[in-house]
Amino acid sequence: MDELHLLRATRNTTGTVPPAVLAAGREKLMQRAAQEDSAREPAPVLHPRRPWRRALLASAAAAALVAALVAVDVVGSDERPGATAEAAEVLNAAAAATITSSDPVLAPGQYLLVDTDMVGTTSTVTPEGQEFSWLTRRDHQVYIPADRTGEWVWIREPSKPVQFFDEGSRQEAERVGAGSSDSGDVSRAPRGEFGGSTQHVLNDMPLQEAVEGAPRDPRQLLDLLYEGNAGGGQTPHEEAFERIAETLGTGAIPADLRAALYQAAALIPGVSVVDREAALDGRTGISLGIGSPEQGFRSEIIIDPQTGLMIGERTVLLEDGKIFPAGTALGWSAVTTSVVDSAP
């Protein structure tokens, strides 16, 4: 569970985000960062554009098929209304673009580098009950060997405060020395089992099992995501959308499953286009989201419409809070991948 997931897991009973809730979430975050976070492999993978010439013709046909399937699933289904027509169109195009790209093939000795830039919320509560919050950045790099049973390397950069919304929080961050004692760390583990744990995606399915055996049928995939998602404080639709965002955010998902995930998102009621010019970490894409008004959040994924790649995800505050104004991205992550010849 990463910072963003933890942030999403915080519950808000007032319609905004009480700093106490954020503080509790941060506390969980820091504990898990030292334990469970290390178990979650930042996932590998990317999907650079398909270099294979043979894929060009095949991909064109596949793209048409994907588009047709999405159109049938979204427009033709009477069982569930699915996403808005505009969102379905974007997801349809993303699925089509994705299926035309390929995953990189690593030569023996090479590594897939997954670089994740991440921002989350840090909160403190003084003994007098004063609450302070600010945004903190912590970037990660994961090196995944061509032989995935080999040793993975996970580098966590030092964390540092990056944005304040009131002077009191700035002074509190300086007082507690926020980030000053964090020098980052490096973890190494065979098969990416950092901390002895395997990364899970979708509906708590081990990553490799999902890569190899998760349904490629969008409806079946969505049904899998709905299973076991009730009772978490969010609707099954919101939970399913978040599981899709988290799974795509690993960077370790092959093209055919990525396309199926986009198609599955198109079947989720309440998903809509939020911003067609959404900027995230220097890149621009189309943002699609689903709101969780009771918790005061909206979960978003941002997609590059040209490649179908997910640029990143973010959690946006819907109403003014005590410290953060409405519209603040309380947590976001952006992922880029590349192939390198060695690991640190």
Side-chain angles (χ1 to χ4, degrees):
M1 183 176 289
D2 62 16
E3 290 90 337
L4 193 58
H5 191 182
L6 283 167
L7 207 136
R8 284 172 165 163
T10 58
R11 298 293 182 246
N12 182 359
T13 58
T14 67
T16 60
V17 187
V21 172
L22 294 174
R26 180 59 184 172
E27 180 63 24
K28 279 178 68 177
L29 182 162
M30 296 307 292
Q31 293 176 1
R32 303 294 272 276
Q35 305 171 4
E36 191 171 350
D37 195 51
S38 61
R40 173 179 184 162
E41 6 84 292
V45 192
L46 5 158
H47 347 306
R49 234 97 72 115
R50 189 145 258 186
W52 304 335
R53 186 168 300 177
R54 67 173 174 74
L56 296 178
L57 293 177
S59 61
L65 175 59
V66 170
L69 288 174
V70 171
V72 169
D73 285 341
V74 175
V75 178
S77 172
D78 293 328
E79 298 178 358
R80 299 168 186 158
T84 66
E86 183 183 23
E89 180 182 8
V90 172
L91 290 164
N92 173 26
T98 295
I99 211 69
T100 64
S101 64
S102 71
D103 302 311
V105 177
L106 276 64
Q110 288 188 317
Y111 292 79
L112 187 66
L113 169 58
V114 181
D115 194 337
T116 303
D117 299 331
M118 181 178 294
V119 168
T121 304
T122 295
S123 297
T124 64
V125 179
T126 67
E128 295 74 30
Q130 288 183 287
E131 300 165 345
F132 303 98
S133 296
W134 57 89
L135 297 183
T136 296
R137 180 161 185 154
R138 183 165 194 166
D139 298 339
H140 306 242
Q141 296 90 44
V142 175
Y143 292 79
I144 303 171
D147 176 3
R148 292 197 177 194
T149 64
E151 182 180 80
W152 297 32
V153 180
W154 181 13
I155 298 175
R156 282 173 286 190
E157 302 286 348
S159 63
K160 57 183 178 182
V162 291
Q163 191 172 7
F164 297 94
F165 294 82
D166 65 349
E167 185 57 27
S169 294
R170 180 188 301 278
Q171 293 177 1
E172 175 66 5
E174 293 176 355
R175 187 188 70 80
V176 300
S180 61
S181 61
D182 183 0
S183 58
D185 57 65
V186 179
S187 301
R188 303 175 190 276
R191 299 176 296 281
E193 296 177 350
F194 298 103
S197 299
T198 299
Q199 181 179 16
H200 289 71
V201 296
L202 298 175
N203 195 1
D204 290 331
M205 182 181 293
L207 174 62
Q208 195 57 34
E209 181 180 329
V211 167
E212 296 173 353
R216 266 50 173 180
D217 175 86
R219 180 68 67 188
Q220 293 179 9
L221 186 57
L222 185 56
D223 287 343
L224 174 66
L225 290 164
Y226 280 142
E227 292 176 5
N229 278 347
Q234 296 176 285
T235 69
H237 306 314
E238 293 161 3
E239 291 278 0
F241 186 82
E242 289 192 5
R243 296 294 86 75
I244 289 174
E246 291 168 0
T247 301
L248 290 169
T250 66
I253 305 304
D256 59 343
L257 183 53
R258 293 201 308 276
L261 286 167
Y262 287 140
Q263 291 174 284
L267 298 174
I268 298 176
V271 173
S272 63
V273 173
V274 177
D275 187 353
R276 285 189 169 272
E277 297 292 335
L280 183 66
D281 203 32
R283 289 179 285 172
T284 301
I286 298 177
S287 175
L288 301 107
I290 183 169
S292 182
E294 291 186 355
Q295 298 193 48
F297 295 109
R298 181 180 60 238
S299 298
E300 300 179 16
I301 58 174
I302 300 174
I303 297 172
D304 182 336
Q306 303 302 316
T307 64
L309 294 177
M310 191 181 84
I311 294 174
E313 57 173 329
R314 63 187 179 190
T315 300
V316 177
L317 186 62
L318 297 178
E319 301 175 358
D320 286 340
K322 193 170 181 179
I323 295 176
F324 299 112
T328 302
L330 294 177
W332 60 260
S333 62
V335 179
T336 55
T337 55
S338 58
V339 176
V340 296
D341 293 330
S342 62

